Amino acid sequence: MSQDAVVDLSAIRASDAGRVGPKMARLGQLAADGWQVPDGYAVTATALDGWLPAEARGELARLFTAPAQGHGELTRLAEQARALVESQPLPSWLRDAVAAAHARLESRTGRGAGLRVAVRSSALSEDGQAASFAGQYETYLGVSGVADILLHVRKCWASGFSAHALAYRRRFGGASPVRVHDLAVGVLELVDARSAGVAFTLDPVTGDRGVCVVEGNWGFGESVVSGQVSPDHWTVDRSSGRVLTARTGAKLTWAAFSPDSGRVVLSPLPGDLTGQPCLSEDEVRYICAQAARIEEAAAGVPQDIEWAIARDLPFPDSVFFLQHRPETTWTAGEVPRTETPGTEAHGTEPPDPEEPAFDPVKYALRHVFKVPGS
């Protein structure tokens, strides 16, 4: 078991989605195909399957079947379930495998014990039910050291025990509440992001496939993907690479590393960055050109791509791609989801079950019409 428990990113390909989840499988394929991505490793779903002792499984089953009236009671039971999972030690063979993989990553990055990572859930898509838990799994940024990584591996899995998941299982009588083999966990070097955001290989509001849309903010991309800011926005003509529109957003907050907490947190944007675009035109055009190439490698399926600009590297080596997923709102059914044998097109697997489908109405309310809380 320990031999396949943890896999370095360099060994991961699109065909490994069944054991490391689509998120990590696509990232490994990007790295293999030559794109700049953060280095890391994945704790496989099979490694996590069955690690909870029988006593803990019995307690989870009790929590998931206990009488509950209303959302507040469900939330209380879910919090107890999460706390129970997080308190369970991982088996020694898995701890050793993670420690060995992390030592290799420290050596490859040259950062040694100072290495900080992102610990990210990477849910599988084995069945349709998994998609019902969209958005429930969590990502933790700025984690450092093997002990903290092992804690956050447990936190990633425990994040699936939400009040929403509890209510769903009660309503539909789905899989066992202690099932774990539908989740892997990725551990990735944390890019010291000067700027970060998203790129769409079509217009997410109109569906226009002739343009690429880029949005970003200073710091890490969580402020953009969570809708906490009105980001900078560019529209680029895909055929010519010409920037058609450029709008500097009212960016009042950013996601930045806090030495006090040892984590990436939302905080007020420094005054010298307020009102300044977070990307140059060259960076915008480069991101769009690479996004188009990623779309082409993904069998021509339009993509939603997360990127980051490292502050300590020269352009274009500074541009990292953190993940990509098929855009399904405008193009569902447009491109056949089949692979040509031997091509391993890495956009053809089902959408990541932990990533909600893109909603152009919510996007327009938030980014075009600036409706608070949308």
Side-chain angles (χ1 to χ4, degrees), residues 29 33 66 106 120 142 157 194 200 219 245 251 255 268 290 336:
Q29 189 69 53
D33 291 344
E106 288 178 340
R120 314 187 70 168
W157 189 65
R194 184 209 76 198
F200 301 96
T245 65
K251 308 181 298 295
Q290 296 304 308

Side-chain angles (χ1 to χ4, degrees), residues 11-365:
I12 295 174
R13 297 295 185 272
S15 57
D16 293 311
R19 62 175 180 151
V20 301
K23 181 185 294 182
M24 288 299 294
R26 288 191 289 255
L27 196 64
Q29 189 69 53
L30 276 187
D33 291 344
W35 275 280
Q36 179 100 309
V37 306
D39 198 356
Y41 54 89
V43 182
T44 65
T46 51
L48 289 172
D49 186 22
W51 66 273
L52 287 176
E55 182 178 348
R57 286 173 175 261
E59 179 62 13
L60 278 177
R62 185 191 69 78
L63 290 171
F64 269 68
T65 56
Q69 302 249 342
H71 183 74
E73 182 66 11
L74 283 174
T75 299
R76 185 185 68 80
L77 292 173
E79 288 173 350
Q80 291 181 32
R82 291 184 64 160
L84 176 66
V85 172
E86 291 177 18
S87 69
Q88 302 301 310
L90 294 169
S92 59
W93 60 264
L94 182 52
R95 297 198 302 269
D96 291 344
V98 170
H102 199 70
R104 294 193 298 271
L105 181 60
E106 288 178 340
S107 177
R108 292 196 302 269
T109 61
R111 298 187 183 274
L115 173 68
R116 292 196 175 273
V117 297
V119 182
R120 314 187 70 168
S121 57
S122 185
L124 309 190
S125 52
E126 293 177 340
D127 52 58
Q129 185 187 12
S132 299
F133 299 96
Q136 296 303 312
Y137 298 111
E138 293 179 2
T139 291
Y140 301 92
L141 304 180
V143 180
S144 179
V146 173
D148 209 18
I149 289 167
L150 292 171
L151 169 63
H152 285 85
V153 167
R154 301 196 301 272
K155 282 180 173 289
C156 277
W157 189 65
S159 67
F161 290 94
S162 63
H164 170 79
L166 178 56
Y168 183 90
R169 285 178 169 124
R170 285 168 177 262
R171 181 180 178 186
F172 295 105
S176 163
V178 297
R179 178 183 176 187
V180 68
H181 66 269
D182 57 358
L183 179 71
V185 175
V187 179
L188 300 165
E189 179 184 9
L190 188 67
V191 176
D192 185 12
R194 184 209 76 198
S195 307
V198 296
F200 301 96
T201 59
L202 47 57
D203 188 314
V205 175
T206 67
D208 182 359
R209 297 193 61 174
V211 299
C212 171
V213 171
V214 176
E215 294 194 329
N217 188 16
W218 299 106
F220 294 89
E222 276 55 40
S223 65
V224 177
V225 298
S226 65
Q228 297 293 324
V229 297
S230 295
D232 298 336
H233 178 103
W234 293 267
T235 304
V236 178
D237 180 75
R238 290 184 52 165
S239 61
S240 67
R242 183 167 61 93
V243 176
L244 302 175
T245 65
R247 183 181 70 239
T248 301
K251 308 181 298 295
L252 302 179
T253 61
W254 68 337
F257 182 77
S258 167
D260 292 337
S261 66
R263 293 289 183 270
V264 172
V265 298
L266 286 172
S267 57
L269 186 68
D272 61 333
L273 298 180
T274 303
Q276 300 297 318
C278 68
L279 294 175
S280 68
E281 275 206 3
D282 284 344
E283 289 170 335
V284 171
R285 285 193 293 266
Y286 180 83
I287 289 170
C288 283
Q290 296 304 308
R293 290 184 57 222
I294 292 172
E295 178 190 272
E296 181 181 3
V301 178
Q303 298 290 302
D304 168 357
I305 299 164
E306 293 184 19
W307 53 267
I309 308 291
R311 69 175 69 251
D312 55 353
L313 293 174
F315 174 77
D317 293 340
S318 56
V319 183
F320 283 76
F321 294 96
L322 310 181
Q323 66 170 305
H324 72 98
R325 65 185 74 88
E327 189 285 329
T328 58
T329 300
W330 291 102
T331 56
E334 180 177 310
V335 179
R337 300 302 180 94
T338 57
E339 293 185 9
T340 301
T343 62
E344 292 187 317
H346 48 84
T348 57
E349 73 279 350
D352 194 330
E354 66 198 89
E355 300 292 350
F358 179 80
D359 187 330
V361 175
K362 289 183 178 179
Y363 178 94
L365 288 173

